[in-house]
Amino acid sequence: MKKLCVLPLAAAALALAACSSEKPGSASPAPSAPPAQSSASSAAPTSGGDTASIDPCSLVSATDLASYGTFKPPTNENAGGARLCTLNKEAATVSETLSIGVGVRDTQGLDTVSDSGNGKTTGNVNGRKAVLAPRPPGGCLMALELGPAARVDLLVAAEDAEKACGIAEKVADIVEPKLPKG
């Protein structure tokens, strides 16, 4: 069986997300999914503006993602200007491949989310400003605002961009309540 390497895809897409190029057009809010139950094993800050104290691995866990299958232990790294935590699904086939990255960007706001040629949709998740940007062929970025110059990126790599964006929206519902308010 051929081993798939989706982590570089996630890191590359996060690096691309640091650049910005606007695409004219109308924006509409991204659809919301009902919030999923989250693990209480680790907690993120609930108030304050110090984004440097946010551990990206505290925002989503393998338990939170259990409906998508079994995930390997998370990996941590700094990539593309973000502190990144990546969870990879244990997959037997290419169609089962799923990688979910959570990146905290302390110095890049929503205005720096790049459009990779497929548009960006602005909206909100539980009242928090957000941007959804497909990253074909199999990726999607959901960025959640932490402040004017900080954000959390949720990068999903899956079989195709549409599936990845659907999962990114659901993961955003898990992550958003754990982010600092204000």
Side-chain angles (χ1 to χ4, degrees):
M1 177 186 324
K2 185 177 178 183
K3 183 172 178 163
L4 301 172
C5 188
V6 293
L7 183 57
L9 171 66
L14 277 171
L16 287 174
C19 303
S20 176
S21 80
E22 294 294 320
K23 181 176 181 179
S26 62
S28 60
S32 265
Q37 295 298 319
S38 62
S39 167
S41 62
S42 57
T46 56
S47 63
D50 181 18
T51 61
S53 66
I54 300 172
D55 173 9
C57 284
S58 72
L59 299 175
V60 70
S61 69
T63 303
D64 294 326
L65 304 173
S67 65
Y68 297 107
T70 303
F71 284 78
K72 298 174 187 173
T75 59
N76 287 298
E77 68 176 307
N78 289 323
R83 293 186 316 283
L84 178 64
C85 178
T86 304
L87 292 106
N88 292 302
K89 179 181 173 186
E90 293 180 6
T93 66
V94 173
S95 65
E96 294 176 354
T97 301
L98 179 60
S99 176
I100 298 175
V102 179
V104 177
R105 294 182 179 277
D106 300 311
T107 60
Q108 294 173 312
L110 290 182
D111 59 334
T112 63
V113 173
S114 66
D115 173 0
S116 53
N118 295 287
K120 300 187 301 186
T121 303
T122 58
N124 70 69
V125 175
N126 299 327
R128 184 181 300 271
K129 291 181 184 177
V131 173
L132 184 71
R135 303 278 194 249
C140 189
L141 171 72
M142 169 71 83
L144 302 172
E145 184 177 68
L146 287 174
R151 71 180 198 241
V152 169
D153 289 346
L154 308 173
L155 181 72
V156 177
E159 187 175 5
D160 61 58
E162 185 177 337
K163 179 178 179 180
C165 285
I167 294 169
E169 290 174 359
K170 291 176 182 172
V171 172
D173 286 330
I174 295 168
V175 170
E176 192 285 327
K178 299 177 184 179
L179 298 177
K181 307 291 182 210

